Amino acid sequence: MNQSVLEKLKFDEKGLIPAVVQDARTGAVLTVAYMNRESLSISMEEGRSCFYSRSRQCLWRKGEQSGNVQHIVSITADCDYDALVVKVIKEGPACHLGTDSCFTNLLLQKEPEQAPFRLEQLYELLCGRKTQRKEGSYTSYLFEKGPEKILKKIGEECTEVVIAAMKDSREETIFEISDLAYHVLVLMVEKGITVDDIKAELQSRHVVDHKVKQETMQ
């Protein structure tokens, strides 16, 4: 971190500064924690998030026990130097409840034309339905029934995709693929698999394919 910025940081009367932890890949806010000078120094030196627990009044390295560590990409102070944004690449859930983010309790959902759809956004909504069941919610119903019901629905939706594609109906195929994608996301939440996990797997395959292509051209 820029030394001049570091010297301008304003810690509160307890020696703490709030840190908003953000997913460097998706931009999603993962959690809000606190740092003191020591935890900030450790975070910068180790390249992994370290916070100060106000309840336990001690330092805690994220993932030290759970294994869900956060690799720091950047740390930025706000205009008043009294808050930080910590962008990370995470391994596993960010929340102690096992969800991808601590922010899963939706209060307001804008219309699609105001807020572009993102798979990550739907994933977070599904996480919320798993931790806080909503009466009348089909998603909550699936989580209540468990993996067997979810897998059965995925099998049914796979068949529907095949039928729609065989009929050569573009609109129907899109509709059925969307149903399949939704149920796959529900399964991912059930199994603790994140969108980032899938992206990382696809990225690793892309790297391998690119390497093979280069070797073939030599």
Side-chain angles (χ1 to χ4, degrees):
M1 180 181 287
N2 189 311
Q3 189 63 31
S4 62
V5 174
L6 185 59
E7 293 173 353
K8 294 179 181 178
L9 291 181
K10 300 175 183 176
F11 295 84
D12 64 17
E13 65 279 0
K14 296 182 180 179
L16 303 177
I17 188 170
V20 179
V21 183
Q22 186 179 21
D23 191 310
R25 291 177 175 142
T26 67
V29 175
L30 302 176
T31 191
V32 176
Y34 287 84
M35 290 181 169
N36 60 10
R37 293 184 185 277
E38 185 179 1
S39 67
L40 176 58
S41 177
I42 291 173
S43 296
M44 294 169 60
E45 291 175 1
E46 298 183 355
R48 303 200 311 187
S49 58
C50 177
F51 305 110
Y52 183 85
S53 171
R54 294 179 298 169
S55 60
R56 299 193 300 270
Q57 295 189 343
C58 65
L59 298 177
W60 63 281
R61 289 171 169 81
K62 175 61 179 174
E64 192 170 30
Q65 295 180 340
S66 66
N68 301 324
V69 300
Q70 298 172 345
H71 302 279
I72 296 174
V73 174
S74 67
I75 301 177
T76 307
D78 71 341
C79 57
D80 294 323
Y81 298 96
D82 59 2
L84 303 173
V85 171
V86 183
K87 292 187 178 181
V88 302
I89 295 175
K90 62 183 180 63
E91 295 182 17
C95 181
H96 70 284
L97 295 178
T99 55
D100 196 46
S101 166
C102 291
F103 295 89
T104 57
N105 301 310
L106 186 66
L107 298 181
L108 174 67
Q109 178 69 56
K110 291 187 177 181
E111 294 300 319
E113 62 270 19
Q114 295 174 299
F117 174 81
R118 295 187 304 112
L119 275 179
E120 291 82 2
Q121 187 177 36
L122 175 56
Y123 182 89
E124 293 302 327
L125 179 60
L126 297 179
C127 286
R129 288 289 186 267
K130 179 176 173 61
T131 56
Q132 294 187 349
R133 306 289 168 82
K134 182 178 180 181
E135 186 176 353
S137 166
Y138 174 66
T139 305
S140 294
Y141 163 77
L142 289 176
F143 286 127
E144 288 171 0
K145 292 299 181 180
E148 185 176 341
K149 179 65 175 180
I150 297 171
L151 291 170
K152 181 180 178 182
K153 288 300 299 182
I154 288 178
E156 293 174 358
E157 296 304 335
C158 285
T159 302
E160 294 296 332
V161 170
V162 172
I163 293 173
M166 291 294 292
K167 290 165 60 178
D168 202 24
S169 170
R170 184 175 185 276
E171 291 184 359
E172 188 174 342
T173 303
I174 291 174
F175 181 87
E176 297 300 344
I177 289 175
S178 298
D179 273 353
L180 176 60
Y182 158 78
H183 286 90
V184 168
L185 284 171
V186 171
L187 177 65
M188 287 168 57
V189 172
E190 176 68 21
K191 297 298 184 180
I193 300 170
T194 69
V195 175
D196 281 348
D197 291 332
I198 303 303
K199 287 183 177 180
E201 174 62 23
L202 292 174
Q203 175 65 23
S204 68
R205 296 182 186 184
H206 172 73
V207 171
V208 172
D209 288 344
H210 181 68
K211 183 178 180 180
V212 171
K213 183 177 180 180
Q214 285 185 321
E215 292 175 349
T216 303
M217 293 175 64
Q218 291 178 354

